[in-house]
Each structure stands twice: as structure tokens, then as C-alpha cells.
Amino acid sequence: MRPSASLPRLPGRLLAPLLASVLLAAQPLGAAVASPSTDAKTEPNTKANAEAERGTPDRRIVMTIDDLPWVQLPGISTAQALPGHRRLIAAIKHAGIPVIGFVNEGKLEHDGQLQPERLAMLSDWLDAGATLGNHTYAHADLHAVGLPAYQDDILRGERQLRPLLQARGQQPHWFRHPYLRAGRSAQDKAALERFLSEHDYRIAPVTVDNSDWIWAGAYLHAADAKDAAKLKARLRREYVAYMGAKLDYYEQQSIDLLGYNLPQTWLIHANLLNADTYGDLIKMVHKRGYRFIGLDEAMRDPAYRRADAYTGPAGPSWIHRWAIGEKKPTSFFGDEPEVPAWVMKLADLESE
């Protein structure tokens, strides 16, 4: 994910160019980062040639949604969260595409007590056909709390999730790092991957990174504006266009780095803005020729066997992590779409 209400994320867009030219020189990444496999090097050209012959680009994408059951929990009451939650679940059912949601179990509690209504919200996701994964209990920041505390938070994050899934013949299989912060050293990253593997988890990457949390904050603030309805309509419209620009950007980044467009993994959050735009987002992606697939299918692509070289402070796209590992020039990371200034102002933020 990205940020909770208490800690805003640092986007890779702002830091990747610096890290590409400075951090790689300052840290012995070469010894820690495995080279891409032979398949990862040769497969892209094979795919690109096949696509060119067919004249039909292979565009696939995974819908992933973080901070379940609802971003603003536990800061708001369950009753306040339910209307938006129900709209999002209805939109997910109507769209009928594969989707995976990542759960923060701390949001299921109030004053340390499990709230049955919030646990039922997770059941709604399963009833809608979604897969559920672990996003830690408290949306812990690995870089802030350290590896032992982080591992504890992962295990706390499955106390309700695991039995909920087992009752349906399932188990938690995917893990996503809060803030997409995956470790400040190669040793910590390797230790975390071993820990996750021991508990039958795989890391769920993100390639289409974005700042939907900023738009969502602006959307909440717009409700108090004099022209609230008009302003919210504009936010919804321009948000969908922004997401389209992000998808176009990362498609080209993938082609520039890999030689083809890998199955993309897209991150959004369980919030009111996405509840009100989910259908339009799906239509926008379909218009670009994409089809939605499950995370298991996407992860079979050889690109995802590349090493994550990034050990900086932010949480960039995996495409940028791989590019940093290959010591791409700073120019590679340029021209990423930004949140417009008027949205930043409405969200009461100075920068992404």
C-alpha cells in the first residue's frame, strides 16, 4: 500500500532518479542482486516478436486493493464506513473481474476488541469473489519498526484472516508490504523472504504505482466544499484520466526495460473514491486493450523472477526497482504523471 492516515508514503517518482545515480554507487548492490535468469533476458524479445506477428499486444493486468476492510478504519465508526464499503463491493460484483484485497487486521478492532461487523466486511469481499492476502496487522513500516517487529506484525495480521479463509477451503497465500517498503539492506530483504516462504506467503509486487491516496483525500475534503457535487464529479473524471496516464506510463516503462509489456500489477485502495469510480476505472483499462487476470497468472511471467535491487527509503514500482538494479540512467525515470496542483491543494498536501 501506500500510506495510512498517520504516515504518508514517499513515492518512488521523487526518489528513483536520485537513487539510480547515487545509492547504487554508495551501496554494494552488485553483490546482493542476482542477475536476471536466462529466460528473463530472452523471453521478452520472443514475446515482443510474437506480438508483432499477431498485431495484437499482450495487455494483461491484475487488480489489487489495499487496506481492507476500509482505509479510514479504525479512525471512523463501522457505520460510517459501511455505505462506501457496500458501494465498492457492489461495483466489484458488477465488474466480475479477478481482484485481490490485502487486509490490515488492526482495522477489524476497536479499543483492542474484534468487531464482528468489520469481520463480516471481509466476508463480503469473499462473497464477491475476491481473494484475500496479508498486509500486516497494523500497517507496519518495515523501515521504521525493524525486521523482528515486522515479522510479528505479519503473524498478527493472519489471526482472523487464516481461519476465515480456511472455513472456505482457502489459505492466505499473498503478502504485500505496507508503503511498499521492502527492506533497507539485501540481508533484511532476504531474511524477510525466507520468513514469508516459511509461512507459505509470496510477495505481491506493484508495477502500476500511483498516488490514489492523495486523490482520495481530496475527494473527502470536496464533500465540504460549497460546490461539492460539481467538484467531486471533476475529481472522479480527472482521477480516472490520471490513472490512465499512469498505466500508459508504466506500460512504456516495461517495454523500455524488458522489451515487452509484462502483466501489470495495479494498486488502489479500499476508499470512497475508488468505490465511486471502480466501474469507470475498469472501463478505462478495457478501452486500452487490457484484460484482467489473477495474480498467480501474472507472477508466472519471467520478469517477476528478477531481483528487487532497491534498498532505498521509498516504495517505488517494481519496474523502477529492476531498472535501478540495472543502473538505468536518471532519464529513464522521468516524465511520470503527477497529481495536479489543484488536487494537491484540495488534499492539503505540499508534495507527493
Side-chain angles (χ1 to χ4, degrees), residues 1-9 67 71 139 179 212-213 269:
M1 161 190 187
R2 279 336 187 187
S4 67
S6 60
L7 182 59
R9 59 106 168 185
D67 293 4
V71 166
H139 202 274
Y179 312 103
D212 81 324
W213 61 280
H269 294 91

Side-chain angles (χ1 to χ4, degrees), residues 56-299:
T56 55
D58 178 24
R59 291 190 171 103
R60 291 174 289 162
I61 192 167
V62 184
M63 171 63 81
T64 75
I65 306 179
D66 283 8
D67 293 4
L68 274 59
W70 195 249
V71 166
Q72 292 172 277
L73 291 172
I76 63 174
S77 69
T78 308
Q80 290 173 299
L82 281 175
H85 161 78
R86 288 168 178 156
R87 291 207 297 277
L88 180 56
I89 292 297
I92 289 171
K93 288 181 177 179
H94 181 75
I97 64 164
V99 59
I100 179 168
F102 290 92
V103 178
N104 296 129
E105 281 203 13
K107 296 180 181 296
L108 302 178
E109 299 178 1
H110 178 71
D111 291 337
Q113 298 296 314
L114 177 67
Q115 303 297 298
E117 300 91 345
R118 298 181 188 179
L119 186 59
M121 292 169 74
L122 295 185
S123 294
D124 291 342
W125 282 81
L126 294 171
D127 292 342
T131 302
L132 296 182
N134 190 331
H135 198 38
T136 76
Y137 171 85
H139 202 274
D141 179 355
L142 171 58
H143 297 177
V145 304
L147 188 58
Y150 192 74
Q151 292 172 340
D152 288 344
D153 211 51
I154 292 171
L155 296 181
R156 288 186 71 196
E158 63 174 22
R159 293 181 303 177
Q160 304 299 327
L161 179 62
R162 192 170 288 278
L164 181 69
L165 292 178
Q166 286 176 340
R168 298 179 183 236
Q170 305 173 29
Q171 65 176 1
H173 181 56
W174 293 103
F175 170 78
R176 172 161 288 158
H177 310 85
Y179 312 103
L180 303 186
R181 294 173 187 160
R184 295 299 304 271
S185 71
Q187 292 77 18
D188 275 359
K189 294 177 81 166
L192 177 58
E193 289 199 31
R194 286 194 300 271
F195 173 85
L196 290 169
S197 179
E198 290 168 359
H199 293 275
D200 299 321
Y201 284 109
R202 294 180 66 191
I203 291 171
V206 173
T207 59
V208 183
D209 189 24
N210 58 81
S211 294
D212 81 324
W213 61 280
I214 296 178
W215 290 84
Y219 196 65
L220 292 175
H221 291 169
D224 298 324
K226 183 177 180 180
D227 54 347
K230 182 178 179 180
L231 185 56
K232 290 174 71 176
R234 181 187 177 189
L235 280 164
R236 291 193 299 269
R237 182 175 63 252
E238 296 198 20
Y239 170 64
V240 173
Y242 161 86
M243 280 297 199
K246 282 283 191 176
L247 181 54
D248 293 344
Y249 171 79
Y250 281 110
E251 177 176 319
Q252 189 60 50
Q253 290 288 94
S254 177
I255 292 169
D256 291 346
L257 180 67
L258 306 173
Y260 70 107
N261 185 32
L262 86 170
Q264 299 281 358
T265 47
W266 185 17
L267 167 64
I268 65 172
H269 294 91
N271 59 41
L272 191 61
L273 176 61
N274 286 321
D276 290 347
T277 59
Y278 191 85
D280 290 332
L281 290 171
I282 301 304
K283 290 177 184 177
M284 175 272 293
V285 173
H286 279 151
K287 285 181 179 178
R288 281 169 163 75
Y290 278 84
R291 60 186 176 89
F292 286 90
I293 60 173
L295 189 52
D296 289 272
E297 177 181 338
M299 292 297 289

